[in-house]
């Protein structure tokens, strides 16, 4: 078992761009306990392994029981297989967490699904599922664990959004909209819990090398930027969460797109037309 150590706050390679809103929480880091959704694959899996490495007791949540078992075999901790799109699943997860972990010091909402292709022919069932997993599930889970965090006066919430939520991506209408919802959710929630000991960190990754693209049924085809390793994204988002940062872009330079978009939407649209 490894010794408890603080995560690297300075990143290797390009520096992450983070907002400097501070003093959000006095909750200790590493957290004693963490509930991680999307822990069966990709970024969530990497985050769960990193946390376990720091002796955090983790509740791994996903649908694929065998994949969760595999992660649990390395990370230890507990696993709970459930479909987060199902109504009431957040209550089942929260009660399992209370039973197995006691207090949840850190909630990582990483479960998510993608979708690519024209919106006008998108399967409505798939659209509902995407919104349920990407938007409703994190909101409901936060709703389920937040009261106890506020009662204790400490806790951390880490939401995994996407660059696509800051600047709508062509061919990913529903996905972009779902991740944009998380931007508004994180911003507004942060105001609400400010000064009450709970931090809210939003991670906005660019392309990451995970099964995400295969599972959405459309491979990642851009030659640039190259998809990042999930472990790097996990490191950066956990480091941002440890600092209590409001948000972290991975890679950091991608925040430029949002800045241009915010400063001048027409210029952004022209550039996006040229560079895709
Ligand atoms: N990969 C990228 O390029 C990229 C870029 C930006 C943001 N993101 C975001 O990063 C997060 C993690 O994605 P990833 O790249 O790590 O993809 P991934 O490898 O496909 O992992 C997705 C995770 O979400 C879980 N999940 C999906 N639907 C679920 C459901 N209905 N109920 C419970 N769990 C469910 C999956 O669990 P099961 O496999 O057990 O069903 C899996 O653990 C997502 O929110 C995604 O939108 C990804």
């Amino acid at each position: 078992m490894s010794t408890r150590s603080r995560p690297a706050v300075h990143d290797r390679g390009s520096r992450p761009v983070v907002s400097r809103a501070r003093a959000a929480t006095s909750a200790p880091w590493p957290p004693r306990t963490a509930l991680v959704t999307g822990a069966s694959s990709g970024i969530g899996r990497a985050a769960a392994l990193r946390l376990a490495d720091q002796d955090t007791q983790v509740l791994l949540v996903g649908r694929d029981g065998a994949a969760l078992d595999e992660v649990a075999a390395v990370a230890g901790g507990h696993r709970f297989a459930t479909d987060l799109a199902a109504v009431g699943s957040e209550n089942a997860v929260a009660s399992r967490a209370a039973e197995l972990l006691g207090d949840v010091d850190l909630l990582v909402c990483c479960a998510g699904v993608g979708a690519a292709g024209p919106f006008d022919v998108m399967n409505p069932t798939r659209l509902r599922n995407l919104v349920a997993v990407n938007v409703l599930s994190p909101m409901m889970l936060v709703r389920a664990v937040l009261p106890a965090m506020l009662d204790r006066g400490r806790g951390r919430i880490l939401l995994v959004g996407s660059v696509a939520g800051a600047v709508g991506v062509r061919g990913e209408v529903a996905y972009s909209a779902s991740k944009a919802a998380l931007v508004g959710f994180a911003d507004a929630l942060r105001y609400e819990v400010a000064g009450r000991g709970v931090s809210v960190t939003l991670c906005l990754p660019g392309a990451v090398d995970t099964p995400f693209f295969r599972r959405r049924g459309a491979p990642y085809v851009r030659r640039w930027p190259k998809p990042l390793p999930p472990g790097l994204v996990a490191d950066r988002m956990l480091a941002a969460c440890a600092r209590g940062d409001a948000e972290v872009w991975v890679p950091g330079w991608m925040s430029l797109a949002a800045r241009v978009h915010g400063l001048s939407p027409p210029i952004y649209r022209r550039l996006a037309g040229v560079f895709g």
Side-chain angles (χ1 to χ4, degrees):
M1 197 182 286
S2 68
T3 52
R4 277 181 174 257
S5 61
R6 293 184 70 81
V9 167
H10 300 289
D11 299 280
R12 299 178 297 274
S14 62
R15 273 179 23 189
V17 176
V18 291
S19 106
R20 296 284 162 201
R22 296 260 160 211
T25 183
S26 60
W29 190 275
R32 190 186 63 80
T33 61
L35 193 174
V36 181
T37 73
S40 52
S41 178
I43 302 168
R45 176 183 185 277
L49 292 173
R50 296 299 197 268
L51 286 163
D53 224 28
Q54 299 174 86
D55 290 350
T56 298
Q57 210 189 332
V58 186
L59 175 58
L60 311 158
V61 180
R63 270 174 315 183
D64 183 337
L68 289 173
D69 282 343
E70 211 182 285
V71 181
V74 183
H78 312 278
R79 50 77 124 191
F80 185 51
T82 188
D83 183 352
L84 289 170
V87 175
S89 58
E90 71 282 354
N91 293 327
V93 172
S95 353
R96 206 81 177 108
E99 184 189 313
L100 295 166
L101 303 177
D103 298 336
V104 175
D105 294 339
L106 166 66
L107 169 64
V108 182
C109 291
C110 191
V113 289
F119 185 68
D120 59 329
V121 292
M122 183 174 185
N123 177 303
T125 306
R126 191 167 183 200
L127 175 55
R128 271 186 201 285
N129 182 68
L130 181 142
V131 174
V133 178
N134 292 3
V135 185
L136 265 180
S137 148
M139 291 180 74
M140 295 301 247
L141 262 179
V142 170
R143 171 67 186 82
V145 305
L146 185 60
M149 286 184 175
L150 291 173
D151 278 353
R152 293 196 303 279
R154 59 174 196 280
R156 296 175 196 266
I157 293 167
L158 173 56
L159 303 168
V160 180
S162 168
V163 166
V167 288
V169 172
R170 189 181 310 166
E172 299 184 34
V173 173
Y175 181 70
S176 298
S178 73
K179 292 299 185 177
L182 282 191
V183 176
F185 176 53
D187 277 347
L189 183 66
R190 205 174 293 115
Y191 286 127
E192 190 168 305
V193 301
R196 300 167 74 188
V198 177
S199 65
V200 180
T201 300
L202 175 69
C203 176
L204 298 99
V208 189
D209 187 10
T210 70
F212 174 85
F213 298 102
R214 178 179 49 74
R215 298 172 113 191
R216 75 176 183 180
Y220 181 76
V221 288
R222 290 168 203 266
R223 279 220 297 255
W224 180 87
K226 203 167 162 269
L228 297 170
L232 183 140
V233 178
D235 285 344
R236 291 194 181 174
M237 71 183 195
L238 290 173
C241 184
R243 291 187 297 256
D245 289 337
E247 60 186 37
V248 56
W249 295 71
V250 193
W253 61 262
M254 280 217 170
S255 69
L256 194 63
R259 286 188 194 154
V260 174
H261 186 272
L263 279 175
S264 174
I267 292 180
Y268 174 83
R269 278 193 288 273
R270 221 168 303 147
L271 290 173
V274 174
F275 296 108

